[in-house]
Amino acid sequence: MPVFISPSVWNGKFTNLKIGKGSFVGRVEMHLHDRVCIGRNVIINDGARLLTASHMVDDVDFRLVTGPIVIGDYAWIAIGAILLPGVSVGAGAVVGAGALITKDVPDYAIAVGNPARILEKSRPSGLRYSPLQSLATFEAWLGKDGMPEHLIHDLIAG
């Protein structure tokens, strides 16, 4: 299987979601009111929330605003992290547990906190691990009742 997607909460259109090969998506909440592009070999842990829409609080009509979320290859979105509309997480970047991402995270940067701040240390470039290397362990833990195969095929981006 080229990706692993756990049972999750999905709102919006699946056509807005593209996932690169080798990525692992835990039990997440994804709002697909705009595009979500997930690169190759990405890890998104349980409890993460990807929000592509919000409301204009200073608008008398409380209009909906949307923005895409882009996650680069080898990024890691840790447990309970929240990504707001219009943000990008760079290649190899880490979004720490419980972090609130309101601005773009550069390649290989480590973002932590609420609101998130970028740490001085960073990840090495040239990452080459495979999040699905331990797929048998994950399936034993979560079961094989994840996303239906026909939907997975439609979500995979080259």
Side-chain angles (χ1 to χ4, degrees), residues 21 23 34 53 106 129:
K21 291 182 180 177
S23 291
D34 205 320
Y129 61 86

Side-chain angles (χ1 to χ4, degrees), residues 8-158:
S8 296
V9 175
W10 307 92
N11 294 304
K13 299 177 184 177
F14 274 111
T15 56
N16 283 334
L17 178 62
K18 297 295 176 200
I19 302 176
K21 291 182 180 177
S23 291
F24 175 92
V25 179
R27 294 176 174 154
V28 301
E29 182 177 332
M30 241 186 254
H31 295 260
L32 302 168
H33 305 292
D34 205 320
R35 293 178 301 109
V36 173
C37 298
I38 299 169
R40 293 175 178 253
N41 298 305
V42 170
I43 300 169
I44 304 178
N45 287 128
D46 291 353
R49 300 174 80 190
L50 282 67
L51 309 173
T52 58
S54 187
H55 291 275
M56 297 177 69
V57 296
D58 58 350
D59 181 346
V60 295
D61 293 319
F62 200 52
R63 282 182 283 181
L64 184 72
V65 292
T66 65
I69 293 175
V70 177
I71 301 173
D73 297 345
Y74 289 99
W76 174 26
I77 312 301
I79 191 168
I82 300 173
L83 280 63
L84 295 184
V87 299
S88 293
V89 176
V94 174
V95 172
L100 175 63
I101 303 300
T102 62
K103 299 176 184 175
D104 292 349
V105 178
D107 291 350
Y108 305 103
I110 301 171
V112 299
N114 182 352
R117 68 186 191 290
I118 305 297
L119 298 181
E120 288 185 29
K121 66 179 181 176
S122 62
R123 289 181 91 189
S125 61
L127 297 169
R128 58 180 183 263
Y129 61 86
S130 170
L132 301 184
Q133 190 171 5
S134 301
L135 187 57
T137 303
F138 290 120
E139 285 182 342
W141 172 47
L142 297 172
K144 292 187 177 193
D145 62 342
M147 183 71 71
E149 189 68 34
H150 70 280
L151 288 179
I152 291 172
H153 177 71
D154 292 341
L155 299 175
I156 298 168

